[in-house]
């Protein structure tokens, strides 16, 4: 007997649809089909996979507006943010098509060490098998492509499980993948209930788990997965640093785009701002003035900058985080206003370095400002968090940039840009509890492959 779930639009609470969870027998049948699909993939040439992915990119481009509307209905993300996501998803698919043609190893002469001379090692890359690809709610299509694209390019088969909130957009994506030429025995959608996920993560017919989401789910996956290869893209608590030589107008614009877009629901959002004391007041005034003019409202309207967060519970959690910071002595420069699932852009000052809003990930449009005199003083504060994803700095002082690049616990430091800088082919991922491994198409292909060496 299958269980059902219903989806509502976070903006207006309208029912979007009712769906059935996958039964366990359905999941096992999908896995058996995908195991057969590994033989299909072995007989598919790289150029054929590249051509299929090129076709998928074209289909995603042709259906971008329809898909962007689905994303906005499901997540409350503004239509302009959803359109940007679709441009990124097309680029990630094109990159997957191009990388599918470039998966090559190397040949090694064995005489580097006297005892093994006279042989040549031909190092090849081979697919791991069936990849369980699990995606979060906030970028349902681009993050799905960052998993399905490289997994398929590498010759794997894929069991795809989005967040329940993204059922409609994800089913449409799978439909487009089939239309592009990915066979059903190579890609399968599933939506098991939470109670079946431990059993699924442990399933012997899953060879690797490629997960993007929060720490709690990642811990459950790691506990169940055993020796499976894990690729984990998790949370972030990314800093944006404004030095005394910063272009303050550009820095304020980046801070707004990297914190308030997507209602702050990005792993790489600028979740903490560190501003050098001599420019603090001027930067704060520019930031508050620009932020106060942002339009908060219907995410389907082109001029809306901030829509609702994913649900009321998320809004409540964000409000509690702000109230805790205020209880610790923080003051409100803007916002601290809530309406249902809406959290208005909120800027906090006089935030203590050890308050939760500085140490934990706040997945909403909340921007704590921290004034500093010496850049050395903020390094331990920035690193005092379980996360280490990306960072941004506005400065042209190369020695400061190089010093922070070496000292900050992050996977990427973006200069004169926000921590949310990302382009689809760069390596993407963090350290500590921000995850394990790297996405970014070429890097993800390697994560979902293994080397096989022929010695002749
Ligand atoms: N690093 C990145 O690229 C990145 C990108 C987006 C979001 N995130 C992080 O994700 C979190 C927000 O997204 P979310 O609320 O969708 O995350 P979530 O962890 O609640 O859910 C993510 C996905 O995992 C599934 N899931 C939950 N428990 C599971 C289990 N035991 N086994 C298998 N799958 C399970 C969910 O159904 C969903 O599909 C934030 O922490 C954010 O920072 C990270
Ligand atoms: O939530 C993070 C995904 S991305 O926008 O950095 O790709």
């Amino acid at each position: 007997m299958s269980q059902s779930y219903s989806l509502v639009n976070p903006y207006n609470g309208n029912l979007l649809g009712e769906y059935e969870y996958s039964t366990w027998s359905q999941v096992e049948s999908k896995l058996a089909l995908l195991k057969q699909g590994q033989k299909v993939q072995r007989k598919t040439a790289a150029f054929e996979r590249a051509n299929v992915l090129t076709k998928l990119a074209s289909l995603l481009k042709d259906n971008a507006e329809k898909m962007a509307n689905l994303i906005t209905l499901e997540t409350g993300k503004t239509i302009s943010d959803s359109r940007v996501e679709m441009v990124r998803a097309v680029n990630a698919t094109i990159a997957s098509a191009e990388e599918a043609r470039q998966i090559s190893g190397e040949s090694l002469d064995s005489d580097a060490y006297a005892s093994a001379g006279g042989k040549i090692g031909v190092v090849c890359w081979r697919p791991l098998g069936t990849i369980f690809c699990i995606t979060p709610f906030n970028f349902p299509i681009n993050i799905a492509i960052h998993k399905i694209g490289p997994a398929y390019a590498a010759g794997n088969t894929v069991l795809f499980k989005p967040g329940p909130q993204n059922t409609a957009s994800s089913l449409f994506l799978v439909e487009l993948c089939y239309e592009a030429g990915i066979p059903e025995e190579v890609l399968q959608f599933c939506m098991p209930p939470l109670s079946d996920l431990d059993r699924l993560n442990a399933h012997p017919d899953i060879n690797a788990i490629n997960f993007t989401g929060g720490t709690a789910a990642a811990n459950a996956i790691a506990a169940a997965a055993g020796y499976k290869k894990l690729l984990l893209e998790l949370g972030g608590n990314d800093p944006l640093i404004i030095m005394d030589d910063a272009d303050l107008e550009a820095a304020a614009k980046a801070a707004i785009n990297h914190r308030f877009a997507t209602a702050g629901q990005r792993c790489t959002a600028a979740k903490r701002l560190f501003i050098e004391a001599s420019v603090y007041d001027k930067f704060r005034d520019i930031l508050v003035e620009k932020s106060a003019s942002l339009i908060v409202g219907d995410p389907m309207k082109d001029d809306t900058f901030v829509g609702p967060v994913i649900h009321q519970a998320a809004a409540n959690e964000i409000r509690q985080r702000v109230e805790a910071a205020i209880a610790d002595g923080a003051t409100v420069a803007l916002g601290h206003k809530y309406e249902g699932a809406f959290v208005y852009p909120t800027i906090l000052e006089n935030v203590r370095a050890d308050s939760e809003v500085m140490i934990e990930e706040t997945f909403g449009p909340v921007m704590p400002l921290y004034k500093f005199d010496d850049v050395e003083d903020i390094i331990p504060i920035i690193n005092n968090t379980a996360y280490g994803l990306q960072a941004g700095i506005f400065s042209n002082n190369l020695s400061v940039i190089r010093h922070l690049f070496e000292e900050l616990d992050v996977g990427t430091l973006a200069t004169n840009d926000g921590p949310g800088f990302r382009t689809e082919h760069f390596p993407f991922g963090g350290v500590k509890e921000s995850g394990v491994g790297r996405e970014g198409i070429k890097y993800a292909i390697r994560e979902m492959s293994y080397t096989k060496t022929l010695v002749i």
Side-chain angles (χ1 to χ4, degrees), residues 38-63:
Q38 291 175 24
K39 296 176 187 139
V40 172
Q41 279 283 58
R42 274 200 290 275
K43 289 186 289 200
T44 306
F47 82 89
E48 293 173 304
R49 285 197 283 270
N51 290 341
V52 166
L53 289 164
T54 301
K55 173 69 174 168
L56 178 58
S58 173
L59 289 168
L60 285 168
K61 193 170 183 180
D62 293 346
N63 291 277

PDB file of all heavy atoms in Angstrom, residues 38-63:
ATOM      1  N   GLN A  38      23.404  -0.784 -16.940  1.00  0.00           N
ATOM      2  CA  GLN A  38      24.869  -0.637 -16.959  1.00  0.00           C
ATOM      3  C   GLN A  38      25.457  -1.315 -18.211  1.00  0.00           C
ATOM      4  O   GLN A  38      26.422  -0.841 -18.796  1.00  0.00           O
ATOM      5  CB  GLN A  38      25.476  -1.234 -15.684  1.00  0.00           C
ATOM      6  CG  GLN A  38      25.141  -0.434 -14.423  1.00  0.00           C
ATOM      7  CD  GLN A  38      25.640  -1.115 -13.151  1.00  0.00           C
ATOM      8  OE1 GLN A  38      26.571  -1.910 -13.183  1.00  0.00           O
ATOM      9  NE2 GLN A  38      25.012  -0.800 -12.026  1.00  0.00           N
ATOM     10  N   LYS A  39      24.791  -2.410 -18.666  1.00  0.00           N
ATOM     11  CA  LYS A  39      25.254  -3.071 -19.899  1.00  0.00           C
ATOM     12  C   LYS A  39      24.989  -2.176 -21.114  1.00  0.00           C
ATOM     13  O   LYS A  39      25.794  -2.084 -22.034  1.00  0.00           O
ATOM     14  CB  LYS A  39      24.545  -4.431 -20.067  1.00  0.00           C
ATOM     15  CG  LYS A  39      24.871  -5.435 -18.977  1.00  0.00           C
ATOM     16  CD  LYS A  39      24.072  -6.709 -19.145  1.00  0.00           C
ATOM     17  CE  LYS A  39      24.278  -7.660 -17.947  1.00  0.00           C
ATOM     18  NZ  LYS A  39      23.027  -8.311 -17.532  1.00  0.00           N
ATOM     19  N   VAL A  40      23.837  -1.486 -21.071  1.00  0.00           N
ATOM     20  CA  VAL A  40      23.505  -0.554 -22.168  1.00  0.00           C
ATOM     21  C   VAL A  40      24.554   0.565 -22.223  1.00  0.00           C
ATOM     22  O   VAL A  40      25.062   0.904 -23.287  1.00  0.00           O
ATOM     23  CB  VAL A  40      22.098   0.058 -21.943  1.00  0.00           C
ATOM     24  CG1 VAL A  40      21.819   1.168 -22.963  1.00  0.00           C
ATOM     25  CG2 VAL A  40      21.031  -1.025 -21.999  1.00  0.00           C
ATOM     26  N   GLN A  41      24.919   1.067 -21.047  1.00  0.00           N
ATOM     27  CA  GLN A  41      25.906   2.150 -21.009  1.00  0.00           C
ATOM     28  C   GLN A  41      27.268   1.666 -21.536  1.00  0.00           C
ATOM     29  O   GLN A  41      27.965   2.406 -22.232  1.00  0.00           O
ATOM     30  CB  GLN A  41      26.051   2.689 -19.582  1.00  0.00           C
ATOM     31  CG  GLN A  41      24.977   3.679 -19.181  1.00  0.00           C
ATOM     32  CD  GLN A  41      25.205   5.065 -19.774  1.00  0.00           C
ATOM     33  OE1 GLN A  41      25.284   5.230 -20.991  1.00  0.00           O
ATOM     34  NE2 GLN A  41      25.327   6.059 -18.933  1.00  0.00           N
ATOM     35  N   ARG A  42      27.627   0.397 -21.221  1.00  0.00           N
ATOM     36  CA  ARG A  42      28.921  -0.114 -21.690  1.00  0.00           C
ATOM     37  C   ARG A  42      28.970  -0.185 -23.210  1.00  0.00           C
ATOM     38  O   ARG A  42      30.024  -0.073 -23.818  1.00  0.00           O
ATOM     39  CB  ARG A  42      29.211  -1.496 -21.077  1.00  0.00           C
ATOM     40  CG  ARG A  42      29.867  -1.414 -19.701  1.00  0.00           C
ATOM     41  CD  ARG A  42      30.589  -2.706 -19.332  1.00  0.00           C
ATOM     42  NE  ARG A  42      29.643  -3.794 -19.079  1.00  0.00           N
ATOM     43  CZ  ARG A  42      29.066  -3.989 -17.893  1.00  0.00           C
ATOM     44  NH1 ARG A  42      29.300  -3.132 -16.901  1.00  0.00           N
ATOM     45  NH2 ARG A  42      28.232  -4.999 -17.692  1.00  0.00           N
ATOM     46  N   LYS A  43      27.785  -0.355 -23.835  1.00  0.00           N
ATOM     47  CA  LYS A  43      27.750  -0.447 -25.299  1.00  0.00           C
ATOM     48  C   LYS A  43      27.523   0.907 -25.966  1.00  0.00           C
ATOM     49  O   LYS A  43      27.442   1.015 -27.186  1.00  0.00           O
ATOM     50  CB  LYS A  43      26.628  -1.427 -25.720  1.00  0.00           C
ATOM     51  CG  LYS A  43      26.948  -2.894 -25.408  1.00  0.00           C
ATOM     52  CD  LYS A  43      25.891  -3.822 -25.955  1.00  0.00           C
ATOM     53  CE  LYS A  43      24.615  -3.688 -25.164  1.00  0.00           C
ATOM     54  NZ  LYS A  43      23.694  -4.830 -25.287  1.00  0.00           N
ATOM     55  N   THR A  44      27.412   1.962 -25.144  1.00  0.00           N
ATOM     56  CA  THR A  44      27.171   3.313 -25.693  1.00  0.00           C
ATOM     57  C   THR A  44      28.498   4.056 -25.774  1.00  0.00           C
ATOM     58  O   THR A  44      29.188   4.195 -24.767  1.00  0.00           O
ATOM     59  CB  THR A  44      26.183   4.086 -24.794  1.00  0.00           C
ATOM     60  OG1 THR A  44      24.997   3.302 -24.621  1.00  0.00           O
ATOM     61  CG2 THR A  44      25.819   5.423 -25.414  1.00  0.00           C
ATOM     62  N   ALA A  45      28.827   4.560 -26.943  1.00  0.00           N
ATOM     63  CA  ALA A  45      30.109   5.258 -27.121  1.00  0.00           C
ATOM     64  C   ALA A  45      30.035   6.659 -26.506  1.00  0.00           C
ATOM     65  O   ALA A  45      28.950   7.251 -26.386  1.00  0.00           O
ATOM     66  CB  ALA A  45      30.434   5.370 -28.605  1.00  0.00           C
ATOM     67  N   ALA A  46      31.189   7.202 -26.182  1.00  0.00           N
ATOM     68  CA  ALA A  46      31.245   8.542 -25.577  1.00  0.00           C
ATOM     69  C   ALA A  46      30.586   9.576 -26.472  1.00  0.00           C
ATOM     70  O   ALA A  46      29.835  10.437 -25.994  1.00  0.00           O
ATOM     71  CB  ALA A  46      32.694   8.916 -25.309  1.00  0.00           C
ATOM     72  N   PHE A  47      30.835   9.494 -27.755  1.00  0.00           N
ATOM     73  CA  PHE A  47      30.249  10.522 -28.641  1.00  0.00           C
ATOM     74  C   PHE A  47      28.725  10.429 -28.643  1.00  0.00           C
ATOM     75  O   PHE A  47      28.026  11.437 -28.792  1.00  0.00           O
ATOM     76  CB  PHE A  47      30.833  10.399 -30.050  1.00  0.00           C
ATOM     77  CG  PHE A  47      30.195   9.353 -30.920  1.00  0.00           C
ATOM     78  CD1 PHE A  47      29.102   9.665 -31.716  1.00  0.00           C
ATOM     79  CD2 PHE A  47      30.688   8.052 -30.934  1.00  0.00           C
ATOM     80  CE1 PHE A  47      28.503   8.687 -32.522  1.00  0.00           C
ATOM     81  CE2 PHE A  47      30.107   7.079 -31.732  1.00  0.00           C
ATOM     82  CZ  PHE A  47      29.007   7.383 -32.515  1.00  0.00           C
ATOM     83  N   GLU A  48      28.203   9.208 -28.462  1.00  0.00           N
ATOM     84  CA  GLU A  48      26.742   9.051 -28.417  1.00  0.00           C
ATOM     85  C   GLU A  48      26.175   9.699 -27.158  1.00  0.00           C
ATOM     86  O   GLU A  48      25.157  10.389 -27.204  1.00  0.00           O
ATOM     87  CB  GLU A  48      26.371   7.559 -28.463  1.00  0.00           C
ATOM     88  CG  GLU A  48      26.701   6.892 -29.795  1.00  0.00           C
ATOM     89  CD  GLU A  48      26.490   5.375 -29.769  1.00  0.00           C
ATOM     90  OE1 GLU A  48      27.094   4.701 -28.893  1.00  0.00           O
ATOM     91  OE2 GLU A  48      25.726   4.869 -30.618  1.00  0.00           O
ATOM     92  N   ARG A  49      26.878   9.518 -26.040  1.00  0.00           N
ATOM     93  CA  ARG A  49      26.423  10.166 -24.805  1.00  0.00           C
ATOM     94  C   ARG A  49      26.519  11.690 -24.947  1.00  0.00           C
ATOM     95  O   ARG A  49      25.631  12.435 -24.522  1.00  0.00           O
ATOM     96  CB  ARG A  49      27.253   9.677 -23.618  1.00  0.00           C
ATOM     97  CG  ARG A  49      26.914   8.278 -23.163  1.00  0.00           C
ATOM     98  CD  ARG A  49      27.451   8.005 -21.759  1.00  0.00           C
ATOM     99  NE  ARG A  49      28.875   7.740 -21.782  1.00  0.00           N
ATOM    100  CZ  ARG A  49      29.412   6.530 -21.931  1.00  0.00           C
ATOM    101  NH1 ARG A  49      28.628   5.481 -22.084  1.00  0.00           N
ATOM    102  NH2 ARG A  49      30.713   6.349 -21.929  1.00  0.00           N
ATOM    103  N   ALA A  50      27.591  12.137 -25.589  1.00  0.00           N
ATOM    104  CA  ALA A  50      27.760  13.583 -25.795  1.00  0.00           C
ATOM    105  C   ALA A  50      26.615  14.137 -26.638  1.00  0.00           C
ATOM    106  O   ALA A  50      26.060  15.202 -26.342  1.00  0.00           O
ATOM    107  CB  ALA A  50      29.103  13.855 -26.456  1.00  0.00           C
ATOM    108  N   ASN A  51      26.234  13.414 -27.673  1.00  0.00           N
ATOM    109  CA  ASN A  51      25.137  13.880 -28.548  1.00  0.00           C
ATOM    110  C   ASN A  51      23.813  13.923 -27.785  1.00  0.00           C
ATOM    111  O   ASN A  51      23.025  14.861 -27.945  1.00  0.00           O
ATOM    112  CB  ASN A  51      25.021  12.978 -29.771  1.00  0.00           C
ATOM    113  CG  ASN A  51      26.203  13.145 -30.731  1.00  0.00           C
ATOM    114  OD1 ASN A  51      26.908  14.153 -30.665  1.00  0.00           O
ATOM    115  ND2 ASN A  51      26.433  12.152 -31.577  1.00  0.00           N
ATOM    116  N   VAL A  52      23.571  12.936 -26.922  1.00  0.00           N
ATOM    117  CA  VAL A  52      22.332  12.916 -26.121  1.00  0.00           C
ATOM    118  C   VAL A  52      22.300  14.124 -25.181  1.00  0.00           C
ATOM    119  O   VAL A  52      21.287  14.821 -25.069  1.00  0.00           O
ATOM    120  CB  VAL A  52      22.225  11.599 -25.322  1.00  0.00           C
ATOM    121  CG1 VAL A  52      21.145  11.693 -24.237  1.00  0.00           C
ATOM    122  CG2 VAL A  52      21.926  10.429 -26.248  1.00  0.00           C
ATOM    123  N   LEU A  53      23.423  14.403 -24.548  1.00  0.00           N
ATOM    124  CA  LEU A  53      23.489  15.542 -23.615  1.00  0.00           C
ATOM    125  C   LEU A  53      23.352  16.868 -24.372  1.00  0.00           C
ATOM    126  O   LEU A  53      22.726  17.813 -23.880  1.00  0.00           O
ATOM    127  CB  LEU A  53      24.791  15.503 -22.814  1.00  0.00           C
ATOM    128  CG  LEU A  53      24.857  14.387 -21.769  1.00  0.00           C
ATOM    129  CD1 LEU A  53      26.292  14.166 -21.288  1.00  0.00           C
ATOM    130  CD2 LEU A  53      23.941  14.700 -20.583  1.00  0.00           C
ATOM    131  N   THR A  54      23.876  16.931 -25.579  1.00  0.00           N
ATOM    132  CA  THR A  54      23.693  18.140 -26.392  1.00  0.00           C
ATOM    133  C   THR A  54      22.218  18.341 -26.710  1.00  0.00           C
ATOM    134  O   THR A  54      21.691  19.460 -26.641  1.00  0.00           O
ATOM    135  CB  THR A  54      24.524  18.029 -27.684  1.00  0.00           C
ATOM    136  OG1 THR A  54      25.902  17.858 -27.341  1.00  0.00           O
ATOM    137  CG2 THR A  54      24.358  19.264 -28.555  1.00  0.00           C
ATOM    138  N   LYS A  55      21.546  17.254 -27.028  1.00  0.00           N
ATOM    139  CA  LYS A  55      20.091  17.308 -27.302  1.00  0.00           C
ATOM    140  C   LYS A  55      19.346  17.736 -26.038  1.00  0.00           C
ATOM    141  O   LYS A  55      18.432  18.567 -26.093  1.00  0.00           O
ATOM    142  CB  LYS A  55      19.613  15.933 -27.774  1.00  0.00           C
ATOM    143  CG  LYS A  55      18.101  15.798 -27.933  1.00  0.00           C
ATOM    144  CD  LYS A  55      17.555  16.599 -29.066  1.00  0.00           C
ATOM    145  CE  LYS A  55      16.063  16.320 -29.269  1.00  0.00           C
ATOM    146  NZ  LYS A  55      15.444  17.295 -30.196  1.00  0.00           N
ATOM    147  N   LEU A  56      19.768  17.221 -24.877  1.00  0.00           N
ATOM    148  CA  LEU A  56      19.111  17.595 -23.610  1.00  0.00           C
ATOM    149  C   LEU A  56      19.279  19.089 -23.350  1.00  0.00           C
ATOM    150  O   LEU A  56      18.334  19.771 -22.933  1.00  0.00           O
ATOM    151  CB  LEU A  56      19.688  16.783 -22.456  1.00  0.00           C
ATOM    152  CG  LEU A  56      19.131  17.103 -21.062  1.00  0.00           C
ATOM    153  CD1 LEU A  56      17.615  16.920 -21.006  1.00  0.00           C
ATOM    154  CD2 LEU A  56      19.817  16.241 -19.982  1.00  0.00           C
ATOM    155  N   ALA A  57      20.465  19.610 -23.616  1.00  0.00           N
ATOM    156  CA  ALA A  57      20.691  21.048 -23.410  1.00  0.00           C
ATOM    157  C   ALA A  57      19.732  21.859 -24.266  1.00  0.00           C
ATOM    158  O   ALA A  57      19.136  22.841 -23.819  1.00  0.00           O
ATOM    159  CB  ALA A  57      22.142  21.406 -23.754  1.00  0.00           C
ATOM    160  N   SER A  58      19.525  21.414 -25.498  1.00  0.00           N
ATOM    161  CA  SER A  58      18.611  22.113 -26.403  1.00  0.00           C
ATOM    162  C   SER A  58      17.175  22.038 -25.897  1.00  0.00           C
ATOM    163  O   SER A  58      16.442  23.037 -25.896  1.00  0.00           O
ATOM    164  CB  SER A  58      18.727  21.487 -27.798  1.00  0.00           C
ATOM    165  OG  SER A  58      17.766  22.021 -28.657  1.00  0.00           O
ATOM    166  N   LEU A  59      16.766  20.881 -25.398  1.00  0.00           N
ATOM    167  CA  LEU A  59      15.404  20.713 -24.866  1.00  0.00           C
ATOM    168  C   LEU A  59      15.201  21.559 -23.607  1.00  0.00           C
ATOM    169  O   LEU A  59      14.144  22.168 -23.411  1.00  0.00           O
ATOM    170  CB  LEU A  59      15.144  19.238 -24.548  1.00  0.00           C
ATOM    171  CG  LEU A  59      14.991  18.308 -25.750  1.00  0.00           C
ATOM    172  CD1 LEU A  59      15.025  16.838 -25.309  1.00  0.00           C
ATOM    173  CD2 LEU A  59      13.699  18.620 -26.502  1.00  0.00           C
ATOM    174  N   LEU A  60      16.220  21.630 -22.760  1.00  0.00           N
ATOM    175  CA  LEU A  60      16.108  22.451 -21.544  1.00  0.00           C
ATOM    176  C   LEU A  60      15.986  23.923 -21.916  1.00  0.00           C
ATOM    177  O   LEU A  60      15.221  24.676 -21.321  1.00  0.00           O
ATOM    178  CB  LEU A  60      17.331  22.236 -20.644  1.00  0.00           C
ATOM    179  CG  LEU A  60      17.378  20.914 -19.877  1.00  0.00           C
ATOM    180  CD1 LEU A  60      18.753  20.699 -19.255  1.00  0.00           C
ATOM    181  CD2 LEU A  60      16.293  20.854 -18.812  1.00  0.00           C
ATOM    182  N   LYS A  61      16.728  24.329 -22.953  1.00  0.00           N
ATOM    183  CA  LYS A  61      16.657  25.725 -23.400  1.00  0.00           C
ATOM    184  C   LYS A  61      15.262  26.027 -23.953  1.00  0.00           C
ATOM    185  O   LYS A  61      14.659  27.052 -23.647  1.00  0.00           O
ATOM    186  CB  LYS A  61      17.729  25.980 -24.473  1.00  0.00           C
ATOM    187  CG  LYS A  61      17.959  27.431 -24.794  1.00  0.00           C
ATOM    188  CD  LYS A  61      19.193  27.613 -25.675  1.00  0.00           C
ATOM    189  CE  LYS A  61      19.453  29.095 -25.941  1.00  0.00           C
ATOM    190  NZ  LYS A  61      20.662  29.287 -26.794  1.00  0.00           N
ATOM    191  N   ASP A  62      14.734  25.099 -24.753  1.00  0.00           N
ATOM    192  CA  ASP A  62      13.402  25.308 -25.361  1.00  0.00           C
ATOM    193  C   ASP A  62      12.302  25.329 -24.300  1.00  0.00           C
ATOM    194  O   ASP A  62      11.267  25.967 -24.492  1.00  0.00           O
ATOM    195  CB  ASP A  62      13.103  24.182 -26.363  1.00  0.00           C
ATOM    196  CG  ASP A  62      14.034  24.234 -27.570  1.00  0.00           C
ATOM    197  OD1 ASP A  62      14.703  25.278 -27.752  1.00  0.00           O
ATOM    198  OD2 ASP A  62      14.124  23.217 -28.295  1.00  0.00           O
ATOM    199  N   ASN A  63      12.508  24.624 -23.204  1.00  0.00           N
ATOM    200  CA  ASN A  63      11.474  24.506 -22.151  1.00  0.00           C
ATOM    201  C   ASN A  63      11.838  25.283 -20.896  1.00  0.00           C
ATOM    202  O   ASN A  63      11.248  25.067 -19.823  1.00  0.00           O
ATOM    203  CB  ASN A  63      11.277  23.027 -21.808  1.00  0.00           C
ATOM    204  CG  ASN A  63      10.634  22.238 -22.929  1.00  0.00           C
ATOM    205  OD1 ASN A  63       9.411  22.247 -23.074  1.00  0.00           O
ATOM    206  ND2 ASN A  63      11.457  21.582 -23.759  1.00  0.00           N
TER     207      ASN A  63
END
